[in-house]
Amino acid sequence: MRLRWLGLLPVLAALGGFAIAAGKPAPPMAAAAASAVPVADQWVHAYTAYGEPKYRAGYARFDYLDPDAPKGGTLYLANPDRRTSFDKYNYFTIKGNAPAGVAIFMIETLAFLAADETQTMYGLLAQEMRVAPDKSSITFRLHPAARFSDGTAVTTEDVKYSFDTLTGKFVAPSYNTAYAGVEKAVVLDAR
């Protein structure tokens, strides 16, 4: 799926899996910062605004994660806004109350920013991404293993639906604002 945008790439990480396009290229400073990275118009596992990604394709884990961390137990979370009940699971809409932790535990994105690098995004639901040479769009290729909790495959149509929802009239204004620079989202094929 291809997305065309009017701004910088990391904003797109929250989308999930498709392409974005914009009406004009990224600002000159962003283009200059990313110009040292020879990834334009090539499929890559990660995109960085500065230099090379720290982790190569096929990395097993991030350095800041402990593979020997204790497993099991119970996680107790404080309700961050004192809600005692909820009436929806759609975290993004204005009306109603979603349960605490929905955004953290129930939502996956196309890509995400690494915690130990500056402005570097790695594919999550997206296996690879391709940035246009003029930085005016990014295309995501969904990972074949991307699944919903019931085992159903995530499709590019699902991602497009998510984008349309995040830019629709019932979504909280903060999401409309974040994606205001995206001109369009287009499904190119099944992945």
Side-chain angles (χ1 to χ4, degrees):
M1 173 171 255
R2 177 169 296 135
L3 297 171
R4 188 163 181 82
W5 74 90
L6 298 171
L8 300 175
L9 289 173
V11 172
L12 306 176
L15 289 175
F18 55 105
I20 297 181
K24 63 181 180 181
M29 184 167 49
S35 64
V37 183
V39 297
D41 211 28
Q42 297 176 25
W43 288 105
V44 294
H45 75 288
Y47 181 82
T48 182
Y50 307 101
E52 294 289 323
K54 179 177 180 179
Y55 302 99
R56 299 287 170 217
Y59 63 97
R61 65 176 177 80
F62 292 110
D63 291 343
Y64 53 87
L65 299 177
D66 181 3
D68 300 320
K71 313 251 185 315
T74 303
L75 175 64
Y76 294 97
L77 297 173
N79 195 337
D81 55 8
R82 299 189 179 124
R83 284 176 285 179
T84 58
S85 65
F86 60 91
D87 56 7
K88 68 175 186 174
Y89 281 112
N90 188 339
Y91 176 80
F92 303 103
T93 57
I94 297 172
K95 208 170 189 181
N97 293 308
V102 168
I104 300 169
F105 300 114
M106 294 179 65
I107 297 171
E108 296 287 358
T109 58
L110 287 174
F112 61 95
L113 296 175
D116 60 347
E117 295 177 87
T118 303
Q119 296 298 308
T120 303
M121 67 179 183
Y122 290 86
L124 184 57
L125 289 180
Q127 180 178 24
E128 298 174 302
M129 54 199 105
R130 183 173 62 196
V131 178
D134 66 355
K135 314 263 188 303
S136 66
S137 68
I138 184 168
T139 304
F140 294 94
R141 179 180 290 156
L142 283 177
H143 197 289
R147 298 277 185 266
F148 287 102
S149 60
D150 66 356
T152 307
V154 176
T155 67
T156 51
E157 287 79 14
D158 295 323
V159 177
K160 176 77 164 82
Y161 178 83
S162 295
F163 176 78
D164 291 343
T165 300
L166 285 173
T167 58
K169 65 181 181 178
F170 298 112
V171 74
S174 59
Y175 298 104
N176 273 332
T177 302
Y179 298 116
V182 178
E183 182 181 284
K184 61 184 173 180
V186 180
V187 174
L188 301 176
D189 58 34
R191 286 192 53 215

